[in-house]
């Protein structure tokens, strides 16, 4: 085991180890001894940075699940709500692919740990707002507010859903590019039709 003189780096190493172990073994399946060993710190130092194992989980979620990093203006394409939705989807799914928190920890623990459920709820609300703002910036005509909210909500649900495995290899998965674009086209068509109803 190594002790790092840099407290920020030590804390980050603990969270990195927690992310990997919670993703692989789940929260309950990861002992603090295993966590300290994986982080390369004495167990006592682990508790210096985090008083309890749930506190490690909370810090991991709060610090590594940040939808505020998504800038709606950077994702919006004026006049093209389909590409705007695709941009948001690619960004969120790209973040998910590189994050054990988004890829595994959330799904392992959301049904059993209230703190995970609370963080996931906040994440989804913030993501919904980001999508709504990006869509609004992409539109060239006024649309029904309820339709805009419904489209943002449906897209947030689509890109954060844990896709079911296809029954056969010839079926596309929900998060493949062609499937995402098809759903984005469908949502955009419904949204744009609400512009004529105003």
């Amino acid at each position: 085991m190594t002790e790092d003189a840099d407290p920020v780096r030590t804390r980050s190493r603990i969270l990195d180890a927690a992310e990997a172990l919670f993703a692989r073994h789940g929260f309950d399946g990861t002992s603090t001894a295993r966590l300290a060993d994986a982080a390369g710190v004495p167990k006592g130092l682990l508790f210096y940075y985090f008083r309890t194992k749930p506190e490690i989980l909370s810090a991991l979620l709060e610090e590594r699940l940040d939808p505020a990093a998504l800038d709606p203006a950077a994702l919006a394409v004026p006049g093209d709500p389909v590409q705007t939705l695709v941009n948001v989807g690619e960004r969120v799914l790209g973040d998910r692919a590189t994050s054990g928190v988004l890829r595994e920890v959330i799904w392992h623990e959301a049904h059993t740990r209230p703190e995970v459920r609370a963080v996931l709820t906040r994440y989804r609300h913030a993501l919904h707002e980001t999508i709504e703002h990006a869509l609004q910036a992409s539109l060239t005509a006024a649309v029904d507010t309820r339709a805009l909210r419904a489209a943002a909500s449906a897209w947030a649900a689509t890109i954060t859903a844990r896709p079911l495995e296809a029954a056969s290899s010839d079926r596309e998965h929900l998060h493949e590019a062609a499937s995402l674009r098809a759903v984005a086209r469908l949502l955009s068509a419904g949204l744009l039709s609400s512009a004529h109803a105003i």
Side-chain angles (χ1 to χ4, degrees):
M1 286 197 200
T2 62
E3 276 189 59
D4 199 321
D6 181 354
V8 173
R9 198 151 72 187
T10 301
R11 188 178 187 282
S12 183
R13 255 195 357 257
I14 293 167
L15 292 177
D16 289 344
E19 182 174 341
L21 291 172
F22 293 167
R24 187 175 307 124
H25 305 289
F27 178 81
D28 291 328
T30 302
S31 68
T32 53
R34 176 186 263 178
L35 183 50
D37 187 53
V41 299
K43 193 172 173 183
L45 192 59
L46 184 79
F47 291 114
Y48 171 79
Y49 287 97
F50 303 98
R51 290 175 302 153
T52 64
K53 193 168 79 164
E55 193 176 295
I56 297 170
L57 178 62
S58 294
L60 183 64
L61 295 171
E62 293 291 347
E63 295 175 26
R64 300 198 177 177
L65 194 62
D66 183 16
L70 298 174
D71 176 11
L75 299 166
V77 178
D80 194 347
V82 172
Q83 189 58 51
T84 297
L85 290 174
V86 169
N87 288 350
V88 174
E90 288 175 347
R91 172 64 192 276
V92 168
L93 292 169
D95 289 349
R96 180 172 163 177
T98 61
S99 166
V101 173
L102 282 167
R103 195 176 57 253
E104 297 293 336
V105 175
I106 286 288
W107 308 112
H108 280 295
E109 309 303 334
H111 301 294
T112 58
R113 309 243 11 122
E115 62 266 58
V116 176
R117 229 178 356 262
V119 168
L120 182 56
T121 299
R122 284 195 303 275
Y123 174 79
R124 283 187 169 150
H125 284 302
L127 180 59
H128 177 275
E129 289 208 7
T130 296
I131 295 166
E132 194 173 324
H133 291 306
L135 267 178
Q136 185 71 57
S138 75
L139 298 170
T140 56
V143 297
D144 180 71
T145 303
R146 287 176 302 208
L148 180 65
R149 287 188 184 134
S153 186
W155 191 246
T158 299
I159 62 178
T160 60
R162 189 169 201 182
L164 300 172
E165 293 300 318
S168 68
S169 60
D170 61 338
R171 292 176 57 195
E172 288 185 353
H173 293 277
L174 175 65
H175 293 153
E176 289 179 356
S179 296
L180 281 175
R181 188 165 287 279
V183 174
R185 279 197 303 268
L186 183 66
L187 289 173
S188 295
L191 185 59
L192 293 174
S193 73
S194 79
H196 307 298
I198 292 178

